[in-house]
Amino acid sequence: MQISILLPTFNRPHQLREALASLALQNRALIREILVGDDTPAAGRSENQNVIAQSGLAGLVRYFPNDPPKGNYPNQWALGERASGDYILILHDDDQLCPGALDSLAQACAAETVPAVKIWFGRVLMMNEDGVVDQADSGDKGAFYGKSGASSVKPVWEWCLKQSLPPNCALFSRTTYVKLMRGPRDGNVGDWGLAVRLANSGARGRFIAEDISRYRSHAISLTNAGRGIDVHYMYEIASQLQVPPQRLADKDQLMQRFAEVATTRYLRDGERLLAWKCMLSSHWRWTRRLSARGIATVLMLVTPAPCWRWAIRQRT
């Protein structure tokens, strides 16, 4: 088995060093190539290049500077199209693989007996910005996202109802990833779009009850520092998730989780009609419509955008 590692990076050489160090601990016989897509401005790229040169992995690295920067998901997509391995694993520059993780994923894939399984993934450890793992938070997140039990195979739609699939450090076949990686309105939630498209293809996913990756939690993430998470796109994509009739109530609960923020995000993006449609859907419960947040959202819906944008700026 030969795996292409896709490693998009932007302006974080110190964390890129740690991500590459986690790759250096893996079984190198499994790694065909490490594709690094660099969105860092030209003036800062030499530091990333030095990190790669000092990693001990330079012979496996294919380096692609992006002018202009592509953004995280277009960067990943471009790397996916360049990959030559039979399998793909995405590793974000601020995250890490646990020791032996690549062996565990590859062995599970090689031993697979269910043809419909198209993704292999495991537990995610939560760490702070300094790279210190928080075991309690890891356990809580694992339970919340449905990954606290034994190894198992489920339809991907079932994993999606719990948002179980990780944003990176899962194993795909290259053909599966390239076919499903890109959606028309993925925004900055492309991992969620990929998961739902995989679910709708009829795929199953195998969960491995082992620690596979370490996910870094930032006080201020690059995503949140800009336009914020595209929750309205998460809401749209969730609406496309195909589930059996007996699980529609679970899908509604998932969409309720997104609906309130999605409404205001539609408004901020100038999509007022979609904001109204979201607000009037069953995913806004009446108790929430009558809450302070609900009333504030209605006021935003009926007020010209420049007025409430000014109010938000003044409050900020």
Side-chain angles (χ1 to χ4, degrees):
M1 178 181 293
Q2 291 283 278
I3 301 170
S4 293
I5 309 294
L6 312 187
L7 207 170
T9 189
F10 172 73
N11 217 26
R12 292 194 279 217
H14 55 299
Q15 292 175 358
L16 175 63
R17 186 186 305 277
E18 295 174 6
L20 288 170
S22 78
L23 280 174
L25 297 175
Q26 307 303 315
N27 179 355
R28 296 195 194 185
L30 293 170
I31 303 175
R32 180 177 180 85
E33 58 193 353
I34 302 168
L35 290 81
V36 178
D38 196 350
D39 268 358
T40 304
R45 288 181 197 147
S46 61
E47 196 168 356
N48 284 344
Q49 292 165 348
N50 289 336
V51 165
I52 292 168
Q54 296 165 12
S55 68
L57 298 168
L60 291 169
V61 171
R62 297 170 62 196
Y63 176 78
F64 302 97
N66 296 322
D67 286 310
K70 294 179 180 292
N72 185 54
Y73 288 105
N75 194 356
Q76 284 183 192
W77 302 336
L79 295 177
E81 289 170 340
R82 289 176 166 131
S84 61
D86 294 328
Y87 291 86
I88 277 175
L89 181 138
I90 300 161
L91 176 62
H92 294 161
D93 63 352
D94 55 338
D95 297 332
Q96 301 166 15
L97 282 172
C98 295
L102 217 53
D103 266 327
S104 295
L105 293 169
Q107 288 167 11
C109 177
E112 189 55 66
T113 58
V114 181
V117 171
K118 302 297 181 185
I119 181 172
W120 296 263
F121 64 101
R123 290 194 299 253
V124 178
L125 298 175
M126 303 300 298
M127 61 181 179
N128 64 18
E129 287 192 88
D130 297 324
V132 177
V133 171
D134 185 329
Q135 293 291 351
D137 188 37
S138 300
D140 290 344
K141 292 284 198 311
F144 181 82
Y145 291 114
K147 292 185 287 187
S148 58
S151 299
S152 59
V153 172
K154 297 179 184 178
V156 174
W157 62 258
E158 193 167 349
W159 292 119
C160 283
L161 289 174
K162 296 288 288 184
Q163 293 181 265
S164 301
L165 301 190
N168 66 162
C169 297
L171 188 67
F172 299 87
S173 75
R174 179 177 57 82
T175 52
T176 297
Y177 177 72
V178 172
K179 179 181 178 181
L180 300 173
M181 64 184 180
R182 186 186 287 108
R185 278 170 68 91
D186 275 3
N188 58 30
V189 292
D191 54 316
W192 176 236
L194 171 61
V196 171
R197 288 188 290 276
L198 186 62
N200 291 347
S201 75
R204 290 176 171 261
R206 182 174 293 279
F207 166 66
I208 303 161
E210 298 179 27
D211 297 335
I212 295 297
S213 64
R214 294 188 285 263
Y215 179 88
R216 195 182 306 265
S217 180
H218 297 274
I220 300 177
S221 72
L222 293 175
T223 300
N224 290 333
R227 58 183 279 118
I229 296 174
D230 289 330
V231 178
H232 52 328
Y233 293 155
M234 293 188 75
Y235 176 81
E236 282 182 24
I237 293 166
S239 72
Q240 299 162 15
L241 179 64
Q242 298 169 12
V243 302
Q246 63 270 26
R247 299 298 298 273
L248 286 172
D250 295 320
K251 178 180 172 180
D252 282 345
Q253 285 186 352
L254 177 66
M255 295 187 68
Q256 286 173 16
R257 195 182 304 167
F258 303 139
E260 294 182 19
V261 177
T263 304
T264 54
R265 282 306 311 275
Y266 279 131
L267 275 169
R268 288 175 63 184
D269 279 8
E271 297 181 297
R272 190 174 293 265
L273 185 60
L274 290 174
W276 271 113
K277 184 177 179 181
C278 185
M279 180 75 181
L280 296 174
S281 73
S282 61
H283 306 123
W284 266 87
R285 292 167 292 177
W286 274 106
T287 53
R288 294 302 301 159
R289 287 183 182 139
L290 298 174
S291 68
R293 182 184 187 127
I295 293 168
T297 303
V298 170
L299 290 173
M300 290 173 70
L301 284 163
V302 299
T303 304
C307 297
W308 54 258
R309 283 182 179 144
W310 176 85
I312 288 174
R313 282 197 300 271
Q314 294 304 308
R315 181 178 179 183
T316 302

